[in-house]
Short mmCIF file of all heavy atoms in Angstrom, two decimals:
data_model
loop_
_atom_site.label_atom_id
_atom_site.label_comp_id
_atom_site.label_asym_id
_atom_site.label_seq_id
_atom_site.Cartn_x
_atom_site.Cartn_y
_atom_site.Cartn_z
N GLU A 234 -0.91 -0.46 -19.62
CA GLU A 234 -0.98 0.66 -20.53
C GLU A 234 0.31 1.53 -20.49
O GLU A 234 0.25 2.75 -20.41
CB GLU A 234 -2.24 1.51 -20.30
CG GLU A 234 -3.54 0.69 -20.51
CD GLU A 234 -4.77 1.54 -20.38
OE1 GLU A 234 -4.68 2.79 -20.46
OE2 GLU A 234 -5.84 0.96 -20.15
N GLY A 235 1.45 0.84 -20.44
CA GLY A 235 2.71 1.53 -20.50
C GLY A 235 3.25 2.00 -19.15
O GLY A 235 4.27 2.69 -19.08
N GLU A 236 2.57 1.61 -18.05
CA GLU A 236 3.03 2.00 -16.72
C GLU A 236 3.30 0.76 -15.90
O GLU A 236 2.61 -0.28 -16.03
CB GLU A 236 1.98 2.81 -16.01
CG GLU A 236 1.70 4.15 -16.67
CD GLU A 236 0.60 5.00 -15.97
OE1 GLU A 236 -0.25 4.34 -15.32
OE2 GLU A 236 0.62 6.20 -16.08
N ALA A 237 4.31 0.86 -15.03
CA ALA A 237 4.59 -0.26 -14.06
C ALA A 237 3.60 -0.21 -12.98
O ALA A 237 3.38 0.83 -12.33
CB ALA A 237 6.04 -0.06 -13.54
N ASP A 238 2.96 -1.35 -12.69
CA ASP A 238 1.90 -1.47 -11.72
C ASP A 238 2.18 -2.71 -10.87
O ASP A 238 1.64 -3.81 -11.14
CB ASP A 238 0.52 -1.56 -12.43
CG ASP A 238 -0.63 -1.36 -11.49
OD1 ASP A 238 -0.42 -1.20 -10.27
OD2 ASP A 238 -1.77 -1.45 -11.94
N TRP A 239 3.02 -2.57 -9.86
CA TRP A 239 3.39 -3.72 -9.02
C TRP A 239 2.24 -4.25 -8.22
O TRP A 239 1.44 -3.48 -7.69
CB TRP A 239 4.54 -3.28 -8.04
CG TRP A 239 5.80 -2.86 -8.77
CD1 TRP A 239 6.17 -1.64 -9.09
CD2 TRP A 239 6.85 -3.77 -9.25
NE1 TRP A 239 7.41 -1.65 -9.72
CE2 TRP A 239 7.81 -2.91 -9.81
CE3 TRP A 239 7.04 -5.16 -9.22
CZ2 TRP A 239 9.01 -3.47 -10.38
CZ3 TRP A 239 8.18 -5.67 -9.74
CH2 TRP A 239 9.18 -4.84 -10.33
N LYS A 240 2.16 -5.59 -8.14
CA LYS A 240 1.13 -6.27 -7.36
C LYS A 240 1.76 -7.13 -6.27
O LYS A 240 2.33 -8.16 -6.55
CB LYS A 240 0.24 -7.16 -8.29
CG LYS A 240 -0.30 -6.43 -9.52
CD LYS A 240 -1.29 -5.35 -9.19
CE LYS A 240 -1.87 -4.72 -10.43
NZ LYS A 240 -2.75 -3.56 -10.16
N VAL A 241 1.65 -6.61 -5.05
CA VAL A 241 2.20 -7.41 -3.89
C VAL A 241 1.18 -8.56 -3.58
O VAL A 241 -0.01 -8.34 -3.49
CB VAL A 241 2.39 -6.49 -2.71
CG1 VAL A 241 2.72 -7.32 -1.45
CG2 VAL A 241 3.50 -5.50 -2.99
N VAL A 242 1.74 -9.71 -3.34
CA VAL A 242 0.92 -10.83 -2.89
C VAL A 242 1.16 -10.96 -1.34
O VAL A 242 2.35 -10.99 -0.89
CB VAL A 242 1.35 -12.18 -3.56
CG1 VAL A 242 0.50 -13.30 -2.97
CG2 VAL A 242 1.13 -12.05 -5.02
N ALA A 243 0.10 -11.01 -0.56
CA ALA A 243 0.20 -11.00 0.89
C ALA A 243 -0.90 -11.83 1.46
O ALA A 243 -1.89 -12.17 0.77
CB ALA A 243 0.17 -9.58 1.45
N ILE A 244 -0.76 -12.15 2.75
CA ILE A 244 -1.85 -12.87 3.45
C ILE A 244 -2.06 -12.26 4.82
O ILE A 244 -1.08 -11.83 5.47
CB ILE A 244 -1.51 -14.35 3.56
CG1 ILE A 244 -2.73 -15.16 4.11
CG2 ILE A 244 -0.31 -14.67 4.40
CD1 ILE A 244 -2.67 -16.64 3.93
N ASP A 245 -3.26 -12.18 5.24
CA ASP A 245 -3.68 -11.67 6.51
C ASP A 245 -2.86 -12.41 7.59
O ASP A 245 -2.79 -13.64 7.63
CB ASP A 245 -5.16 -11.86 6.76
CG ASP A 245 -5.69 -11.11 7.95
OD1 ASP A 245 -5.16 -11.28 9.06
OD2 ASP A 245 -6.62 -10.30 7.79
N ALA A 246 -2.25 -11.67 8.51
CA ALA A 246 -1.40 -12.27 9.54
C ALA A 246 -2.15 -13.24 10.44
O ALA A 246 -1.56 -14.12 11.04
CB ALA A 246 -0.71 -11.18 10.38
N GLU A 247 -3.48 -13.10 10.52
CA GLU A 247 -4.31 -13.94 11.38
C GLU A 247 -5.00 -15.05 10.61
O GLU A 247 -5.77 -15.81 11.22
CB GLU A 247 -5.34 -13.08 12.10
CG GLU A 247 -4.72 -12.05 13.04
CD GLU A 247 -5.75 -11.18 13.76
OE1 GLU A 247 -6.97 -11.43 13.54
OE2 GLU A 247 -5.36 -10.29 14.54
N ASP A 248 -4.72 -15.16 9.31
CA ASP A 248 -5.35 -16.25 8.54
C ASP A 248 -4.79 -17.58 8.95
O ASP A 248 -3.62 -17.70 9.35
CB ASP A 248 -5.08 -15.96 7.06
CG ASP A 248 -5.96 -16.85 6.18
OD1 ASP A 248 -7.12 -16.44 5.84
OD2 ASP A 248 -5.50 -17.96 5.80
N LYS A 249 -5.59 -18.60 8.86
CA LYS A 249 -5.16 -19.91 9.23
C LYS A 249 -4.01 -20.47 8.38
O LYS A 249 -3.25 -21.32 8.81
CB LYS A 249 -6.31 -20.89 9.21
CG LYS A 249 -6.89 -21.20 7.84
CD LYS A 249 -8.02 -22.26 7.89
CE LYS A 249 -8.53 -22.53 6.51
NZ LYS A 249 -9.64 -23.55 6.56
N TRP A 250 -3.86 -19.94 7.18
CA TRP A 250 -2.78 -20.33 6.28
C TRP A 250 -1.50 -19.58 6.50
O TRP A 250 -0.43 -19.94 6.05
CB TRP A 250 -3.19 -20.21 4.82
CG TRP A 250 -3.99 -21.31 4.28
CD1 TRP A 250 -5.36 -21.28 4.05
CD2 TRP A 250 -3.57 -22.59 3.91
NE1 TRP A 250 -5.77 -22.50 3.55
CE2 TRP A 250 -4.70 -23.35 3.47
CE3 TRP A 250 -2.32 -23.24 3.95
CZ2 TRP A 250 -4.62 -24.66 3.08
CZ3 TRP A 250 -2.25 -24.57 3.46
CH2 TRP A 250 -3.39 -25.27 3.11
#
Side-chain angles (χ1 to χ4, degrees):
E234 299 183 20
E236 295 177 334
D238 191 1
W239 296 96
K240 308 296 183 184
V241 170
V242 178
I244 188 164
D245 192 302
E247 297 179 1
D248 193 87
K249 66 179 182 179
W250 280 104

